Amino acid sequence: MTASQKPKVLLVGTLHFAQAEWEALSDVAELLPLTSRDRTEFIADLHGKYSDIVALYRDFPSAEITGRFDEELSKHVPASLKYICGHGAGYDQIDVPFYTAKGIRISNTPSAVDDATADTHVYLILGALRSFSLGERTLREGKWLSGVGLAHDPRGKVVGIVGMGGIGRALRDRLAPFGFSKIIYYNRRRLSPELEAGAEYVASLDELYAQTDVLALNCPLNEATHHLINADSIAKMKDGVVITNTARGKVVDEEALAAALESGKVGAVGLDVFEHEPVVHPTLLSHPQALLLPHMGTHTQETRKIMEVLVIDNIRAGLTKGELLTLVPDQVGKF
């Protein structure tokens, strides 16, 4: 098969670690780089030099050029496009229904991010409980423990996990040695006993809020979870609750969270994601009980390579087998 006969695959983004795997994909595809400089040019190119692409590799930073894969963009993708393979567990930059209606399959990289994100979440939980961020601040300012009150042990506390997918389960396993009294979870559906592995299912978020000392957010961002944590839901939680988030920033109403932190209703937060990244609410930036990271959940060389390779494997599977390895949940059963 000549290059001109192979299906065309567009790289929308940057490869950092899987260049060899990408180049190896040339045995079944013609590989194209993105040369569009902005969204307007990208749309024009979808009607021009990219008008016959079959698959597309997409990472999150590329949105600065292409913008969201929203309803408007769905009207311009070529009829030849069958697969959009995304780099990342989250896929909220793609409005899935519009692409599903066009028969375009979408994949993400869920399992690839589980370990690194769960490791980060453990750090946030322990750091928030123990006021480690404030302790570090006083050390660096030469004020050795000045104003740092006694914090809390994990022993005897209840962890409530919202979202018990791969990351939530990896977090559960990592928390087991720390002495939490129990781990409860809320999910769209209850897991099998094997997957629960000792975690306790609760049938409603209200029940989870009422029991939880540490609320750990691991759910995807969608219409149902946007501002899931807001003034009303926080009011249902225990006084002094610790809230940690490695999901998406928009799962939390940051204004409501900041107010609750100021009032003491929320005792501490550990956040790796923010509602308006890279802008962070000023109250969170200045508050002594806010442990903050700049979206570092998967910020490791090893994990990023696993993610890149999985995107490429998805493309290969689509081109050679007509199926993606990690179809996004919204599309399961739709094809």
Side-chain angles (χ1 to χ4, degrees), residues 96-269:
V96 175
F98 300 113
Y99 296 86
T100 304
K102 297 175 76 73
I104 297 172
R105 290 172 167 84
I106 299 168
S107 65
N108 60 340
T109 59
S111 58
V113 306
D114 292 354
D115 289 342
T117 306
D119 291 346
T120 303
H121 211 139
V122 172
Y123 168 82
L124 292 173
I125 289 174
L126 296 180
L129 275 170
R130 294 290 305 275
S131 299
F132 284 154
S133 180
L134 179 57
E136 181 184 19
R137 188 183 306 180
T138 66
L139 173 66
R140 291 183 183 277
E141 293 175 352
K143 300 176 181 178
W144 194 271
L145 282 178
S146 175
V148 182
L150 293 176
H152 298 282
D153 289 322
R155 187 181 303 109
K157 305 297 187 298
V158 176
V159 177
I161 297 177
V162 180
M164 240 345 216
I167 297 172
R169 297 195 298 272
L171 175 62
R172 171 206 60 204
D173 295 344
R174 284 160 171 75
L175 293 178
F178 290 102
F180 291 99
S181 64
K182 64 178 178 178
I183 297 174
I184 61 177
Y185 76 95
Y186 176 81
N187 217 38
R188 285 179 292 184
R189 60 186 66 87
R190 183 170 185 172
L191 301 178
S192 66
E194 292 76 19
L195 288 179
E196 280 188 340
E200 298 180 16
Y201 175 71
V202 295
S204 72
L205 282 167
D206 284 356
E207 184 178 350
L208 183 130
Y209 297 150
Q211 294 190 46
T212 293
D213 297 300
V214 178
L215 180 71
L217 300 171
N218 297 278
C219 53
L221 174 64
N222 52 44
E223 289 184 5
T225 61
H226 181 265
H227 280 189
L228 180 71
I229 304 306
N230 53 45
D232 290 339
S233 58
I234 292 172
K236 299 173 183 177
M237 300 177 194
K238 293 181 179 180
D239 291 344
V241 65
V242 172
I243 296 177
T244 55
N245 188 10
T246 57
R248 283 288 183 266
K250 287 184 171 60
V251 170
V252 177
D253 178 344
E254 217 161 83
E255 192 67 43
L257 180 65
L261 191 59
E262 285 276 75
S263 73
K265 174 65 178 181
V266 171
V269 298

Side-chain angles (χ1 to χ4, degrees), residues 39 46 68-78 95 97-99 102 104:
R39 183 177 175 90
L46 288 172
R68 286 177 49 81
F69 273 53
D70 53 12
E71 181 180 13
E72 179 200 17
L73 196 62
S74 73
K75 297 174 182 177
H76 297 281
V77 296
D95 292 336
F98 300 113
Y99 296 86
K102 297 175 76 73
I104 297 172

Side-chain angles (χ1 to χ4, degrees), residues 270-316:
L271 307 173
D272 186 44
V273 290
F274 303 90
E275 187 173 1
H276 304 292
E277 292 180 14
V279 177
V280 180
H281 195 287
T283 295
L284 297 178
L285 284 173
S286 62
H287 201 282
Q289 294 301 331
L291 172 57
L292 312 177
L293 293 176
H295 207 148
M296 295 181 69
T298 61
H299 202 69
T300 73
Q301 297 178 33
E302 295 83 0
T303 295
R304 290 297 174 88
K305 179 168 184 180
I306 293 170
M307 294 167 71
E308 290 181 4
V309 170
L310 180 53
V311 180
I312 294 167
D313 288 347
N314 266 300
I315 293 172
R316 182 178 290 277

